[in-house]
Amino acid sequence: MNQALGTTALNTVFDENRVLKQELLDGLFAEQKYINSKFFYDEYGSQLFEKIMQLPEYYPSRTEMVLLEKYQNEIADAIGENKVLIEPGAGNCEKVQYILPTLKPKCYVPIDISADFLFECASNLQDKFPHIDIHAVADDMRAKVVVPDAFKDHDKVVFYPGSTIGNYKPNEALEFLKHVRETAGKKGGLLIGVDLQKDKATLDAAYNDEQGVTALFNLNVINHVNKLLDSDIDTELFEHVAFYNEEHCRIEMHLQSKANHQYHLDNIGQVSFSEEERIHTEYSYKYTIDSFSQLAAQAGLKLENYWIDDDALFSVQYYVAL
Ligand code: AVI
């Protein structure tokens, strides 16, 4: 297995804290307060997300894995042989394992900002799939991808499972798809997991589970903010709010304040929360096959094939560069 620390990763180590702090402050001092959903994922938040994926109400992860496994042969046929498979934000490289045995790419390039974790997972994967050249890159997922020289002439396919695309606003999703199109290049492709629009009751339940794990996940973002800003904002004074906004086809997550409270942040000033004020923490957009393929078309990607489960909950879609 090869591994590389990308330039963005090296730079981010330098500036990360300052940039992240500023981003948080911009959100907390905005007219309509917000915290970017990337702040969910500190160590505890990542553990909670693992639990969310196991919840009976949270269908996306389970359904996507069933689709990847069930249709692995058709997916491999659609994509073709000898590809370089690139996975931005690969995390634990779990989902790719459903398609590697049939797709048999020449080279797999998982990219993730958490270097140690990525290299460990990629090395385990290399033991399982000795015939695939695994080249792990620790970098921001939007970094320019450098494919090893030996595979420069092979067609590239980007793999982006997990319906993470839903956490981008449509204009951000379009920017990301353009980046994918550029990365994949001529004759390139994109295999992507996209959550589908469905009845409000199913969606509301998926983000308001009975055990309250999603509520903990949402509230934990305040703990992460406190660590980064060295503040002591009281988590207990917020409650989890999540609902499907049918007009905008998106789940909205917020933290709603239960009281008036304020905090002094050193060298910055006073941040106040009034009773019932909401901090926006996440959007999770839901698409139809048509609405997503129209978005992808604007990025120069054409829908080639797609797979959905019998209940039409989730989709895996394959696009080729126009
Ligand atoms: C990571 N992402 C696709 C999840 C979603 O469903 O939008 C994050 C999540 N938020 C609450 N539950 C799960």
Side-chain angles (χ1 to χ4, degrees):
M1 196 224 18
N2 294 310
Q3 57 189 53
L5 202 59
T7 43
T8 323
L10 288 172
N11 294 338
T12 5
V13 173
F14 261 166
D15 286 335
E16 195 176 33
N17 264 358
R18 199 170 48 81
V19 173
L20 292 180
K21 273 185 184 178
Q22 193 52 52
E23 196 177 342
L24 282 175
L25 292 170
D26 290 347
L28 291 178
F29 284 97
E31 178 74 20
Q32 157 62 66
K33 294 187 175 63
Y34 63 88
I35 299 172
N36 189 297
S37 57
K38 71 179 175 207
F39 291 103
F40 283 140
Y41 304 94
D42 64 352
E43 203 181 326
Y44 185 48
S46 302
Q47 287 167 7
L48 288 170
F49 185 59
E50 290 290 317
K51 281 196 176 171
I52 287 177
M53 291 194 286
Q54 313 294 330
L55 291 168
E57 298 95 332
Y58 193 75
Y59 61 83
S61 318
R62 188 172 55 245
T63 314
E64 182 178 53
M65 285 194 236
V66 168
L67 287 173
L68 291 173
E69 187 164 35
K70 180 169 175 190
Y71 294 110
Q72 54 180 295
N73 286 313
E74 286 188 28
I75 291 172
D77 287 347
I79 295 178
E81 294 175 340
N82 295 329
K83 305 286 170 169
V84 171
L85 188 67
I86 300 165
E87 184 175 358
N92 61 7
C93 309
E94 191 195 352
K95 289 182 178 158
V96 77
Q97 302 190 39
Y98 291 99
I99 56 168
L100 286 183
T102 49
L103 184 60
K104 301 190 189 91
K106 277 278 168 212
C107 173
Y108 169 56
V109 184
I111 307 168
D112 207 286
I113 200 77
S114 315
D116 292 346
F117 186 60
L118 174 72
F119 293 150
E120 190 191 321
C121 297
S123 154
N124 292 338
L125 202 64
Q126 186 67 88
D127 294 342
K128 271 193 177 172
F129 298 95
H131 303 301
I132 300 172
D133 200 298
I134 299 185
H135 181 77
V137 178
D139 210 334
D140 182 273
M141 68 162 138
R142 293 190 188 221
K144 197 166 164 31
V145 179
V146 181
V147 170
D149 274 351
F151 304 105
K152 279 240 154 68
D153 298 333
H154 292 259
D155 298 338
K156 299 187 204 103
V157 172
V158 174
F159 180 47
Y160 200 56
S163 69
T164 312
I165 194 76
N167 297 129
Y168 299 115
K169 291 180 198 151
N171 63 323
E172 296 165 345
L174 180 57
E175 280 315 302
F176 182 75
L177 291 169
K178 285 181 181 168
H179 167 74
V180 165
R181 168 67 185 79
E182 204 185 306
T183 302
K186 256 205 277 167
K187 300 213 266 156
L190 165 68
L191 183 69
I192 186 166
V194 182
D195 197 9
L196 297 173
Q197 290 170 16
K198 58 188 63 66
D199 63 283
K200 182 169 165 57
T202 303
L203 283 162
D204 283 347
Y207 293 80
N208 289 283
D209 63 280
E210 269 193 19
Q211 293 172 50
V213 183
T214 311
L216 275 181
F217 174 71
N218 196 9
L219 288 161
N220 179 61
V221 81
I222 297 288
N223 296 327
H224 194 194
V225 169
N226 282 336
K227 270 185 269 164
L228 290 166
L229 294 184
D230 199 19
S231 53
D232 60 350
I233 302 169
D234 191 350
T235 322
E236 302 268 308
L237 292 179
F238 289 96
E239 62 193 348
H240 164 73
V241 173
F243 57 88
Y244 186 54
N245 178 330
E246 287 175 291
E247 189 191 338
H248 293 287
C249 307
R250 67 188 182 205
I251 286 285
E252 293 189 15
M253 292 219 311
H254 303 265
L255 288 169
Q256 181 163 314
S257 175
K258 297 188 214 167
N260 298 321
H261 46 130
Q262 51 190 34
Y263 303 87
H264 181 75
L265 303 180
D266 275 351
N267 302 324
I268 297 154
Q270 200 92 336
V271 60
S272 315
F273 303 95
S274 51
E275 193 176 342
E276 294 195 0
E277 181 178 3
R278 287 178 178 180
I279 309 173
H280 170 250
T281 51
E282 186 175 62
Y283 288 136
S284 192
Y285 280 84
K286 310 301 170 188
Y287 291 92
T288 60
I289 300 294
D290 272 0
S291 67
F292 194 77
S293 60
Q294 280 166 24
L295 188 71
Q298 292 176 53
L301 294 162
K302 178 176 149 285
L303 182 64
E304 186 76 4
N305 211 336
Y306 64 90
W307 300 270
I308 56 174
D309 55 293
D310 292 345
D311 300 319
L313 294 174
F314 198 89
S315 66
V316 171
Q317 309 186 13
Y318 181 58
Y319 288 84
V320 290
L322 278 171

